[in-house]
Amino acid sequence: MPHRSVTLSQFILQEEVTHPESSGEFTRLLIDLALAAKMINREVTRAGLVDILGYTGSENVHGEKVQKLDVFAHDVIARVLGSTGQLAVLASEEDEDILSVHENRAPGRYVVNFDPLDGSSNINANVNIGTIFSILPRVSRSGPGGIADVLQPGVRQLAAGYVMYGSSTMLVFTTGNGVHGFTFEPSLGEFLLSHPDIRTPPRGRIYSVNESNYFQWSEGVKRYVDWLKQPDGESGRPYSARYVGSLVADFHRNLLYGGIFLYPGDQKNRAGKLRLLYEAAPLAFIAEQAGGAASDGQQRIMDIVPRELHQKTPLILGSRDDVRDCELFVQEKHEAVTAERRGNHAATARALEPPARKTSTSSPS
Ligand code: AFP
C-alpha cells in the first residue's frame, strides 16, 4: 500500500505545507516528540534485559508507586522537549509542579502536558503501556510560561496523541485534521503511516471498565453496565468486556473496533482516577476527531476548564452512541430508566388501589 512508505516526518511536513503561515516550530515539536517516543520505545523493548524494571522506591504526586521506566520516560520527554526552544512550559503527570524549559533558551510558543508512561503497573508483565501528550498554545505573552498556560480546556489543544508500546509500537495523533496512526519500523528507526484517517464506529460491542468498583458506583453507572450485559439482539447487547488496565491500550482497541471505556467517579473518589490534562483531554480530542465522543457524564470533556494541575475527572470515552447512552443513564434520562420508572409507578399504583377496585379490574368478564 503506498501510504506505508510515508514516514511521520514526511507526513507532518506535508501537513505544514497546507499552512503557509506556519513557522515550522510546531512541526519541529512533533518531530521532537517522535524522537522521545523512539528513545522510550528502545528502553521499553529492552526492559527485561537491562536494569530498568521495578520500582524506584518512591511515590508520585498521586500516591502511586513510581516505576523506574516512569522516571526514565518522564526524563526523556522533559529533556528532549525542554531543550529545543519550541516550548514555554511543560507539565507531567509524574511531577507535582510545572516544568520550566531550558534556562539558556528563550521560551517558545507552545505548551506540552504529558503522561510519560501510562499503565505502568503493567510494565513488569510486558503488557501494553503508553505515552499520552497534549499540545497547547501558550497564553502568557512573555517570560517563562506559567500555570495559566498549562490550565487550558481541551478545546484549545492544537494537537494530541499517544504512543502505544507493545507487540508493535504505534504513534497515533491528531492536529484537528483527522486521526492518523503510524507504526514503528525498527529496522528503519521510523514511524510509518499505517492507519491514515482512523474513524471509530458510531456504536461498538465492547465495554471497558474496572468492574471491581461496581458497589462504589452511582446508581446510573450501575444500571448502565447492567444494561450492557442484558441480552437484546436488536441493540447488539450483551457487549463484550475487555479491560487491560492501561488506558492507552483500552482506548486504542476501542478506537479501532468501536466500544466504550469508563472510569466513573465513585463513593471514594468522586472524580474517579484519571487526570484531565494528561489523559482525558488528549484522548477526548482524538476520540472526537475520529467521530467518537468523551464526557464526564454531564458535559463534554473538551469543555472542562481545569482548575488544578492534577485534576481528575470521571471519563466516558469512545463510540458516539455508546457515550450518549451512558450519559443518559448517568443523568437518569435513558429510555430504559424512564420505562423502568413508569413500570414501577404503575406497579405502585396497582398495589395502592383499594381492594374493591382491584377485584373489579382483575375479573375477566
Ligand atoms: P497505572 O499507571 O498506575 O498502571 O494506572 C493506569 C491508569 O491510570 C490507566 O492507564 C488505567 O486505565 C487505569 O489507571 C486503571 O486503573 P484501575 O487499576 O483502578 O482499573
Side-chain angles (χ1 to χ4, degrees):
M1 274 187 275
H3 59 248
R4 286 259 157 82
S5 55
V6 177
T7 68
L8 177 64
S9 311
Q10 286 171 329
F11 184 89
I12 297 170
L13 287 165
Q14 278 163 17
E15 277 213 331
E16 187 189 311
V17 173
T18 60
H19 296 276
E21 74 289 356
S22 161
S23 66
E25 278 178 74
F26 185 65
T27 303
R28 283 200 294 280
L29 178 54
L30 288 174
I31 292 172
D32 289 341
L33 261 165
L35 171 66
K38 286 180 201 173
M39 291 164 74
I40 298 168
N41 181 58
R42 189 186 55 194
E43 219 58 16
V44 168
T45 51
R46 295 192 312 152
L49 304 170
V50 293
D51 181 28
I52 192 108
L53 285 179
Y55 297 105
T56 58
S58 55
E59 290 189 344
N60 67 12
V61 282
H62 313 285
E64 298 156 347
K65 286 182 184 167
V66 175
Q67 303 269 354
K68 291 184 197 166
L69 264 173
D70 272 330
V71 175
F72 175 82
H74 166 90
D75 288 349
V76 165
I77 296 174
R79 196 160 18 94
V80 172
L81 300 188
S83 62
T84 51
Q86 269 70 258
L87 291 188
V89 62
L90 294 117
S92 163
E93 198 230 37
E94 290 298 327
D95 217 298
E96 204 162 343
D97 242 319
I98 52 172
L99 304 167
S100 309
V101 295
H102 204 284
E103 283 159 13
N104 302 329
R105 290 253 182 196
R109 297 160 53 193
Y110 300 105
V111 175
V112 170
N113 295 332
F114 66 101
D115 182 350
L117 217 49
D118 186 70
S120 51
S121 59
N122 280 319
I123 291 174
N124 298 340
N126 255 349
V127 175
N128 293 103
I129 47 182
T131 296
I132 308 174
F133 60 88
S134 159
I135 304 180
L136 294 149
R138 79 175 291 180
V139 287
S140 56
R141 288 176 187 261
S142 59
I147 188 83
D149 294 308
V150 168
L151 296 182
Q152 299 187 57
V155 282
R156 302 224 53 208
Q157 292 174 102
L158 300 171
Y162 58 87
V163 185
M164 188 177 69
Y165 312 98
S167 51
S168 69
T169 292
M170 282 195 73
L171 190 152
V172 177
F173 81 107
T174 182
T175 54
N177 189 18
V179 178
H180 309 286
F182 297 79
T183 301
F184 187 63
E185 165 53 89
S187 64
L188 297 174
E190 292 279 6
F191 283 101
L192 300 182
L193 181 61
S194 52
H195 297 66
D197 202 13
I198 298 171
R199 304 295 301 166
T200 197
R203 182 176 285 285
R205 295 283 177 269
I206 292 173
Y207 74 101
S208 312
V209 66
N210 186 341
E211 248 181 299
S212 70
N213 295 326
Y214 184 91
F215 289 105
Q216 308 286 334
W217 292 339
S218 68
E219 282 310 306
V221 175
K222 282 183 188 165
R223 275 196 190 136
Y224 174 64
V225 173
D226 290 344
W227 180 77
L228 289 178
K229 295 191 283 192
Q230 282 160 13
D232 175 51
E234 210 179 306
S235 61
R237 292 177 286 136
Y239 279 25
S240 284
R242 295 283 184 278
Y243 190 70
V244 175
S246 267
L247 177 58
V248 168
D250 281 314
F251 175 75
H252 182 73
R253 181 201 53 240
N254 293 359
L255 181 73
L256 298 186
Y257 299 168
I260 184 161
F261 174 93
L262 294 177
Y263 211 113
D266 58 40
Q267 284 168 17
K268 266 198 309 203
N269 305 302
R270 295 256 162 241
K273 174 181 181 189
L274 302 177
R275 295 82 179 170
L276 177 59
L277 292 180
Y278 320 108
E279 292 165 321
L283 296 186
F285 190 17
I286 297 169
E288 288 193 2
Q289 281 293 311
S295 166
D296 70 354
Q298 304 298 333
Q299 63 175 325
R300 194 176 159 222
I301 292 286
M302 294 278 276
D303 288 333
I304 302 176
V305 180
R307 287 167 280 102
E308 294 166 20
L309 208 48
H310 295 290
Q311 186 171 328
K312 294 178 181 173
T313 178
L315 181 60
I316 304 167
L317 179 67
S319 291
R320 189 194 58 209
D321 296 349
D322 290 311
V323 171
R324 186 68 196 133
D325 276 336
C326 184
E327 273 183 321
L328 290 173
F329 268 95
V330 170
Q331 296 167 11
E332 303 203 344
K333 290 180 189 157
H334 195 277
E335 59 184 25
V337 178
T338 48
E340 188 188 310
R341 208 177 287 139
R342 274 199 306 275
N344 287 344
H345 283 161
T348 313
R350 272 198 306 279
L352 293 173
E353 272 177 12
R357 274 188 67 201
K358 243 190 202 174
T359 320
S360 68
T361 46
S362 60
S363 78
S365 53

